[in-house]
Amino acid sequence: MGKHATHIVWDWNGTLFHDIDAVIGATNSAFAEIGLEPITLETYRDLYCVPVPRFYERLMGRLPTDAEWLVMDEAFHRHYSTHRLGCELAAGVDLLLEGWQSAGRSQSILSMYGHDELLPIVRDFGIESRFVLVEGRTGPSGGTKSAHMARHLAAMESVDPRRTVVIGDAADDALAARDAGAHAVLYTGGSHSRASLMVAGVPVVDTLAEAVEMAGDIAV
């Protein structure tokens, strides 16, 4: 594998890991603790954004205070750790990862899920060997992915950002890709509605198979 080959940076939550039901469950469990009404999947997908406090602003009509945000964030992650246990990889992921690797192309994971929590999950699914690098978030949660993406790509000497495609389920994935000089394809199976993804100005697909096929055509 060299800089002439296309590299994929995969998002984890809502992309490789089909956890949207766990996210909604954890969100509503956390909301119940702080007196907010539960929301539907459709509402979540229409309103979700990062930085995550902006998402709460859309729901509450104001930004949470720093103290409120800490409570909300802790409650969500506490509930998510339970809800995610029943989640699986997205349909067909094993074959897509194997096929991309077998074709001599490289791939990595960059997630805003905590690094120490991410690694054991990836290992438990038996897919860690498919990736040249697996990285989760270090530092506070709730922020954007751009700075993390720049560091992630810089850590892989053989990867050229211009020949890299980020596949994710959030508009922030496209922004991070743009800021790092990479391409992006967005997937509708996760946290955003198609309408909210379309505003990012990058290709939007309904399956990860389409995303991989498009990645192979974009960075040529």
Side-chain angles (χ1 to χ4, degrees), residues 78-102:
R78 173 164 36 85
H79 289 291
Y80 176 81
S81 66
T82 300
H83 284 278
R84 72 149 181 90
L85 296 177
C87 298
E88 299 290 341
L89 297 176
V93 159
D94 286 322
L95 290 177
L96 290 174
L97 297 178
E98 179 184 7
W100 189 262
Q101 184 184 42
S102 297

Side-chain angles (χ1 to χ4, degrees), residues 29-41:
S29 294
F31 281 5
E33 289 191 18
I34 58 178
L36 292 179
E37 293 296 317
I39 62 173
T40 64
L41 172 60

Side-chain angles (χ1 to χ4, degrees), residues 4 9 12 18 26 52 57 60 63-64 80-81 90 96 120 123 128 142 147 155 185 189 209:
H4 64 282
V9 177
W12 179 249
H18 185 65
V52 178
E57 181 183 26
M60 301 167 61
L63 274 173
Y80 176 81
S81 66
L96 290 174
R123 288 170 183 161
E128 185 180 15
V185 177

Side-chain angles (χ1 to χ4, degrees), residues 187-205:
Y187 164 61
T188 61
S191 61
H192 281 38
S193 66
R194 171 175 282 274
S196 61
L197 292 177
M198 292 295 291
V199 301
V202 302
V204 176
V205 298

Side-chain angles (χ1 to χ4, degrees), residues 43-56:
T43 298
Y44 183 94
R45 283 177 162 162
D46 284 341
L47 297 181
Y48 182 75
C49 63
V50 294
V52 178
R54 294 288 182 184
F55 169 56
Y56 288 104

Side-chain angles (χ1 to χ4, degrees), residues 120-136:
I121 301 173
V122 174
R123 288 170 183 161
D124 285 346
F125 279 116
I127 58 173
E128 185 180 15
S129 63
R130 301 296 183 196
F131 307 101
V132 296
L133 184 61
V134 176
E135 289 190 316

Side-chain angles (χ1 to χ4, degrees), residues 105-122:
R105 293 165 164 173
S106 63
Q107 54 198 333
S108 60
I109 292 176
L110 177 63
S111 174
M112 295 301 282
Y113 191 48
H115 184 74
D116 292 340
E117 292 77 28
L118 173 67
L119 285 181
I121 301 173
V122 174

